[in-house]
Amino acid sequence: MNTINFVKLNRVRLRDGMRDRATTKFREFFASIQGKVSGFKGYTILENNNDNKEALVLTFWGSKEDMDNYYSNGNSSLSSLVEEVKPMFEKMPERITYNVVSLDVKVTQN
């Protein structure tokens, strides 16, 4: 089943000049877990056009249980990423869980 039912929003506030480096780390990390983590359906990284210190990382999940397990304190893989990028943070990320009520994305190939 490929349904996306939950989204975890990670609002990241970065130090001056750290956004490109942090974005690269996030992209590499989430690409590396694609297809390897139960319930993980994908991710997107958004950079605020008006604020060079802000980025959003959205992760998409099939079940709340899988999402909660992944974001638990016992996840050493995620903890390692956070420790690696922590010096780039102005403050620790804010995490918010959302239920997906409607999702309609059409992707076309050129």
Side-chain angles (χ1 to χ4, degrees):
M1 183 178 228
N2 223 6
T3 305
I4 296 171
N5 296 307
F6 296 91
V7 174
K8 180 71 80 176
L9 166 72
N10 300 273
R11 183 184 314 269
V12 180
R13 191 85 192 144
L14 298 158
R15 297 183 191 280
D16 284 330
M18 290 287 121
R19 190 167 76 178
D20 289 345
R21 190 168 158 213
T23 296
T24 298
K25 288 285 183 194
F26 295 144
R27 184 183 304 118
E28 290 170 352
F29 176 78
F30 286 108
S32 77
I33 67 168
Q34 191 78 44
K36 298 176 185 170
V37 173
S38 178
F40 180 66
K41 304 298 183 182
Y43 68 98
T44 191
I45 301 169
L46 306 170
E47 294 180 336
N48 186 329
N49 279 335
N50 298 315
D51 184 347
N52 288 332
K53 291 182 167 189
E54 184 182 67
L56 303 177
V57 178
L58 303 173
T59 57
F60 304 103
W61 300 88
S63 78
K64 187 169 184 322
E65 180 181 8
D66 287 335
M67 180 183 64
D68 289 346
N69 286 338
Y70 185 77
Y71 280 98
S72 72
N73 291 335
N75 183 342
S76 61
S77 173
L78 182 60
S79 295
S80 293
L81 171 68
V82 171
E83 285 305 312
E84 186 177 348
V85 295
K86 198 176 198 176
M88 299 178 209
F89 294 156
E90 189 172 272
K91 65 179 186 175
M92 290 302 288
E94 173 186 15
R95 289 187 179 144
I96 304 170
T97 299
Y98 291 90
N99 298 326
V100 176
V101 175
S102 179
L103 177 64
D104 184 5
V105 177
K106 295 187 180 23
V107 178
T108 57
Q109 299 294 327
N110 292 336

